[in-house]
Short mmCIF file of all heavy atoms in Angstrom, two decimals:
data_model
loop_
_atom_site.label_atom_id
_atom_site.label_comp_id
_atom_site.label_asym_id
_atom_site.label_seq_id
_atom_site.Cartn_x
_atom_site.Cartn_y
_atom_site.Cartn_z
N GLU A 1 -13.79 16.56 -0.74
CA GLU A 1 -14.09 17.95 -0.49
C GLU A 1 -15.53 18.01 0.06
O GLU A 1 -15.82 18.79 1.00
CB GLU A 1 -13.99 18.79 -1.73
CG GLU A 1 -12.51 19.08 -2.22
CD GLU A 1 -12.37 19.64 -3.57
OE1 GLU A 1 -13.36 19.70 -4.31
OE2 GLU A 1 -11.28 20.16 -3.88
N GLN A 2 -16.40 17.31 -0.58
CA GLN A 2 -17.83 17.25 -0.10
C GLN A 2 -17.98 16.66 1.30
O GLN A 2 -18.87 17.14 2.08
CB GLN A 2 -18.69 16.41 -1.14
CG GLN A 2 -18.87 17.01 -2.44
CD GLN A 2 -19.41 15.98 -3.48
OE1 GLN A 2 -19.79 14.86 -3.09
NE2 GLN A 2 -19.39 16.33 -4.75
N ALA A 3 -17.03 15.81 1.69
CA ALA A 3 -17.08 15.26 3.04
C ALA A 3 -16.23 16.13 3.99
O ALA A 3 -16.09 15.73 5.18
CB ALA A 3 -16.51 13.86 3.07
N ASP A 4 -15.77 17.25 3.56
CA ASP A 4 -14.92 18.16 4.36
C ASP A 4 -13.64 17.44 4.83
O ASP A 4 -13.30 17.61 5.98
CB ASP A 4 -15.74 18.73 5.57
CG ASP A 4 -15.09 19.96 6.15
OD1 ASP A 4 -14.35 20.67 5.50
OD2 ASP A 4 -15.28 20.20 7.34
N LEU A 5 -13.09 16.69 3.99
CA LEU A 5 -11.94 15.87 4.30
C LEU A 5 -10.76 16.18 3.28
O LEU A 5 -9.77 15.39 3.30
CB LEU A 5 -12.24 14.40 4.27
CG LEU A 5 -13.03 13.79 5.45
CD1 LEU A 5 -13.44 12.37 5.19
CD2 LEU A 5 -12.24 13.87 6.79
N PHE A 6 -10.83 17.30 2.64
CA PHE A 6 -9.74 17.67 1.83
C PHE A 6 -9.23 19.02 2.17
O PHE A 6 -9.97 19.95 2.43
CB PHE A 6 -10.18 17.71 0.32
CG PHE A 6 -8.99 17.93 -0.62
CD1 PHE A 6 -8.20 16.90 -1.00
CD2 PHE A 6 -8.75 19.22 -1.05
CE1 PHE A 6 -7.12 17.16 -1.85
CE2 PHE A 6 -7.65 19.49 -1.86
CZ PHE A 6 -6.83 18.47 -2.30
N PRO A 7 -7.87 19.16 2.32
CA PRO A 7 -6.84 18.20 2.22
C PRO A 7 -7.05 17.12 3.39
O PRO A 7 -7.43 17.49 4.49
CB PRO A 7 -5.61 18.94 2.34
CG PRO A 7 -5.85 20.11 3.10
CD PRO A 7 -7.25 20.49 2.72
N LEU A 8 -6.69 15.85 3.08
CA LEU A 8 -6.60 14.80 4.02
C LEU A 8 -5.33 14.90 4.83
O LEU A 8 -4.24 14.85 4.21
CB LEU A 8 -6.80 13.41 3.39
CG LEU A 8 -6.84 12.22 4.34
CD1 LEU A 8 -8.09 12.34 5.22
CD2 LEU A 8 -6.82 10.94 3.57
N LEU A 9 -5.46 15.12 6.11
CA LEU A 9 -4.23 15.33 6.93
C LEU A 9 -3.85 14.09 7.69
O LEU A 9 -4.66 13.36 8.11
CB LEU A 9 -4.62 16.47 7.98
CG LEU A 9 -5.09 17.78 7.40
CD1 LEU A 9 -5.49 18.68 8.51
CD2 LEU A 9 -4.05 18.44 6.48
N ALA A 10 -2.53 13.97 7.81
CA ALA A 10 -2.03 12.86 8.71
C ALA A 10 -2.41 13.14 10.16
O ALA A 10 -2.55 14.24 10.53
CB ALA A 10 -0.50 12.83 8.55
N THR A 11 -2.52 12.08 10.87
CA THR A 11 -2.79 12.19 12.33
C THR A 11 -1.61 11.78 13.15
O THR A 11 -1.68 11.88 14.38
CB THR A 11 -3.97 11.30 12.63
OG1 THR A 11 -3.60 9.83 12.38
CG2 THR A 11 -5.28 11.71 11.97
N GLY A 12 -0.39 11.46 12.55
CA GLY A 12 0.80 11.08 13.27
C GLY A 12 1.24 9.71 12.87
O GLY A 12 0.38 8.81 12.63
N VAL A 13 2.54 9.50 12.75
CA VAL A 13 3.03 8.20 12.24
C VAL A 13 3.12 7.21 13.40
O VAL A 13 3.87 7.40 14.34
CB VAL A 13 4.45 8.39 11.56
CG1 VAL A 13 4.89 7.03 11.07
CG2 VAL A 13 4.35 9.45 10.45
N GLU A 14 2.28 6.25 13.27
CA GLU A 14 2.22 5.14 14.29
C GLU A 14 2.75 3.85 13.77
O GLU A 14 3.09 2.99 14.52
CB GLU A 14 0.78 5.00 14.84
CG GLU A 14 0.22 6.21 15.55
CD GLU A 14 -1.26 6.01 15.79
OE1 GLU A 14 -1.74 4.84 15.82
OE2 GLU A 14 -1.93 6.97 16.01
N ILE A 15 2.81 3.75 12.43
CA ILE A 15 3.22 2.52 11.85
C ILE A 15 4.20 2.84 10.68
O ILE A 15 3.96 3.66 9.82
CB ILE A 15 2.06 1.71 11.22
CG1 ILE A 15 1.02 1.36 12.30
CG2 ILE A 15 2.47 0.46 10.50
CD1 ILE A 15 -0.33 0.87 11.76
N LEU A 16 5.38 2.19 10.71
CA LEU A 16 6.25 2.23 9.61
C LEU A 16 6.14 0.93 8.84
O LEU A 16 6.55 -0.11 9.37
CB LEU A 16 7.69 2.46 10.09
CG LEU A 16 8.76 2.85 8.98
CD1 LEU A 16 8.43 4.27 8.45
CD2 LEU A 16 10.12 2.81 9.52
N GLN A 17 5.50 0.98 7.65
CA GLN A 17 5.26 -0.17 6.87
C GLN A 17 6.33 -0.26 5.82
O GLN A 17 6.50 0.66 4.92
CB GLN A 17 3.90 -0.18 6.18
CG GLN A 17 3.61 -1.49 5.48
CD GLN A 17 2.10 -1.57 4.93
OE1 GLN A 17 1.77 -0.81 4.12
NE2 GLN A 17 1.36 -2.43 5.49
N ILE A 18 7.14 -1.37 5.81
CA ILE A 18 8.30 -1.49 5.06
C ILE A 18 8.24 -2.58 4.05
O ILE A 18 8.03 -3.78 4.44
CB ILE A 18 9.55 -1.60 5.93
CG1 ILE A 18 9.69 -0.52 7.02
CG2 ILE A 18 10.84 -1.73 5.10
CD1 ILE A 18 10.71 -0.82 8.10
N ASN A 19 8.23 -2.37 2.83
CA ASN A 19 8.25 -3.34 1.77
C ASN A 19 9.70 -3.70 1.46
O ASN A 19 10.52 -2.94 0.97
CB ASN A 19 7.65 -2.77 0.46
CG ASN A 19 7.50 -3.98 -0.58
OD1 ASN A 19 8.49 -4.60 -0.90
ND2 ASN A 19 6.30 -4.09 -1.09
N VAL A 20 10.12 -4.94 1.97
CA VAL A 20 11.50 -5.39 1.97
C VAL A 20 11.92 -6.00 0.60
O VAL A 20 12.99 -6.51 0.40
CB VAL A 20 11.94 -6.20 3.09
CG1 VAL A 20 11.72 -5.46 4.42
CG2 VAL A 20 11.15 -7.54 3.16
N GLY A 21 10.93 -6.04 -0.35
CA GLY A 21 11.24 -6.59 -1.65
C GLY A 21 10.10 -7.13 -2.38
O GLY A 21 9.17 -7.58 -1.74
N LYS A 22 10.08 -7.16 -3.68
CA LYS A 22 9.02 -7.61 -4.55
C LYS A 22 9.10 -9.10 -4.97
O LYS A 22 8.26 -9.64 -5.62
CB LYS A 22 8.91 -6.77 -5.81
CG LYS A 22 8.63 -5.32 -5.45
CD LYS A 22 8.36 -4.49 -6.74
CE LYS A 22 8.02 -3.03 -6.38
NZ LYS A 22 7.62 -2.26 -7.59
N MET A 23 10.22 -9.74 -4.46
CA MET A 23 10.40 -11.15 -4.73
C MET A 23 9.38 -11.95 -3.97
O MET A 23 9.14 -11.69 -2.78
CB MET A 23 11.82 -11.60 -4.43
CG MET A 23 12.06 -12.99 -4.88
SD MET A 23 13.79 -13.49 -4.52
CE MET A 23 14.66 -12.40 -5.52
N CYS A 24 8.76 -12.94 -4.68
CA CYS A 24 7.74 -13.78 -3.98
C CYS A 24 7.72 -15.19 -4.57
O CYS A 24 8.07 -15.34 -5.70
CB CYS A 24 6.34 -13.15 -4.12
SG CYS A 24 5.05 -13.89 -3.06
N ASN A 25 7.28 -16.17 -3.80
CA ASN A 25 7.17 -17.46 -4.27
C ASN A 25 5.82 -17.75 -4.99
O ASN A 25 5.59 -18.79 -5.48
CB ASN A 25 7.43 -18.49 -3.16
CG ASN A 25 6.35 -18.42 -2.06
OD1 ASN A 25 6.11 -17.34 -1.58
ND2 ASN A 25 5.76 -19.55 -1.74
N GLN A 26 4.92 -16.70 -4.97
CA GLN A 26 3.69 -16.82 -5.58
C GLN A 26 3.45 -15.79 -6.65
O GLN A 26 4.16 -14.70 -6.59
CB GLN A 26 2.51 -16.77 -4.54
CG GLN A 26 2.49 -17.94 -3.53
CD GLN A 26 1.30 -17.71 -2.58
OE1 GLN A 26 1.14 -18.61 -1.72
NE2 GLN A 26 0.61 -16.65 -2.58
N VAL A 27 2.51 -15.97 -7.51
CA VAL A 27 2.13 -14.97 -8.52
C VAL A 27 0.57 -14.86 -8.48
O VAL A 27 -0.14 -15.46 -9.26
CB VAL A 27 2.62 -15.28 -9.90
CG1 VAL A 27 2.40 -14.08 -10.90
CG2 VAL A 27 4.11 -15.63 -9.98
N CYS A 28 0.07 -14.12 -7.51
CA CYS A 28 -1.37 -14.04 -7.23
C CYS A 28 -2.05 -13.14 -8.21
O CYS A 28 -1.55 -12.04 -8.58
CB CYS A 28 -1.64 -13.63 -5.83
SG CYS A 28 -0.92 -14.64 -4.55
N LYS A 29 -3.31 -13.47 -8.64
CA LYS A 29 -3.92 -12.79 -9.65
C LYS A 29 -4.35 -11.34 -9.22
O LYS A 29 -4.57 -10.44 -10.14
CB LYS A 29 -5.19 -13.54 -10.01
CG LYS A 29 -4.93 -14.83 -10.83
CD LYS A 29 -6.28 -15.49 -11.20
CE LYS A 29 -5.96 -16.87 -11.98
NZ LYS A 29 -7.14 -17.57 -12.35
N HIS A 30 -4.59 -11.10 -8.01
CA HIS A 30 -4.99 -9.77 -7.50
C HIS A 30 -3.89 -8.88 -6.97
O HIS A 30 -4.09 -7.76 -6.52
CB HIS A 30 -5.98 -10.02 -6.28
CG HIS A 30 -5.25 -10.43 -5.10
ND1 HIS A 30 -4.66 -11.66 -5.01
CD2 HIS A 30 -5.09 -9.81 -3.87
CE1 HIS A 30 -4.12 -11.82 -3.78
NE2 HIS A 30 -4.35 -10.70 -3.10
N CYS A 31 -2.61 -9.33 -7.02
CA CYS A 31 -1.50 -8.70 -6.38
C CYS A 31 -1.30 -7.21 -6.82
O CYS A 31 -0.95 -7.01 -8.00
CB CYS A 31 -0.23 -9.56 -6.57
SG CYS A 31 1.28 -8.82 -5.61
N HIS A 32 -1.32 -6.27 -5.86
CA HIS A 32 -1.12 -4.89 -6.29
C HIS A 32 0.39 -4.55 -6.31
O HIS A 32 0.75 -3.48 -6.85
CB HIS A 32 -1.79 -3.92 -5.28
CG HIS A 32 -1.19 -3.94 -3.87
ND1 HIS A 32 -1.40 -4.91 -2.97
CD2 HIS A 32 -0.40 -3.07 -3.32
CE1 HIS A 32 -0.74 -4.69 -1.91
NE2 HIS A 32 -0.03 -3.53 -2.03
N VAL A 33 1.26 -5.44 -5.82
CA VAL A 33 2.68 -5.24 -5.85
C VAL A 33 3.22 -5.79 -7.16
O VAL A 33 4.32 -5.46 -7.58
CB VAL A 33 3.37 -5.95 -4.65
CG1 VAL A 33 4.83 -5.79 -4.69
CG2 VAL A 33 2.76 -5.44 -3.33
N ASP A 34 2.44 -6.63 -7.91
CA ASP A 34 2.92 -7.40 -9.06
C ASP A 34 4.19 -8.17 -8.70
O ASP A 34 5.21 -8.22 -9.43
CB ASP A 34 3.31 -6.39 -10.20
CG ASP A 34 3.52 -7.08 -11.57
OD1 ASP A 34 2.95 -8.16 -11.73
OD2 ASP A 34 4.32 -6.55 -12.38
N ALA A 35 4.12 -8.79 -7.48
CA ALA A 35 5.28 -9.57 -6.95
C ALA A 35 5.35 -10.93 -7.69
O ALA A 35 4.38 -11.46 -8.28
CB ALA A 35 5.12 -9.82 -5.48
N GLY A 36 6.51 -11.61 -7.58
CA GLY A 36 6.64 -12.93 -8.10
C GLY A 36 8.17 -13.39 -8.04
O GLY A 36 9.02 -12.56 -7.66
N PRO A 37 8.33 -14.64 -8.45
CA PRO A 37 9.76 -15.10 -8.47
C PRO A 37 10.69 -14.36 -9.44
O PRO A 37 11.89 -14.37 -9.21
CB PRO A 37 9.56 -16.62 -8.87
CG PRO A 37 8.16 -16.91 -8.55
CD PRO A 37 7.39 -15.68 -8.77
N ASP A 38 10.01 -13.73 -10.36
CA ASP A 38 10.87 -13.03 -11.41
C ASP A 38 11.20 -11.60 -11.00
O ASP A 38 11.99 -10.86 -11.64
CB ASP A 38 10.24 -13.02 -12.78
CG ASP A 38 8.81 -12.42 -12.75
OD1 ASP A 38 8.60 -11.29 -12.25
OD2 ASP A 38 7.90 -13.18 -13.27
#
């Protein structure tokens, strides 16, 4: 609000980012998906 950016408006969809699954061969310590073999 202080930056005059609220509400934050979309500018148009240029990228469709698709998560095709949470299965992974790694279990990284920082992973925001909480992905892994399990």
Side-chain angles (χ1 to χ4, degrees):
E1 287 171 346
Q2 292 167 7
D4 198 25
L5 284 171
F6 186 84
L8 183 64
L9 305 175
T11 56
V13 182
E14 298 172 19
I15 301 169
L16 194 67
Q17 186 173 65
I18 305 171
N19 187 306
V20 299
K22 297 186 178 184
M23 187 179 293
C24 191
N25 62 310
Q26 295 183 174
V27 188
C28 301
K29 290 181 180 177
H30 72 293
C31 183
H32 70 281
V33 180
D34 192 29
D38 56 53

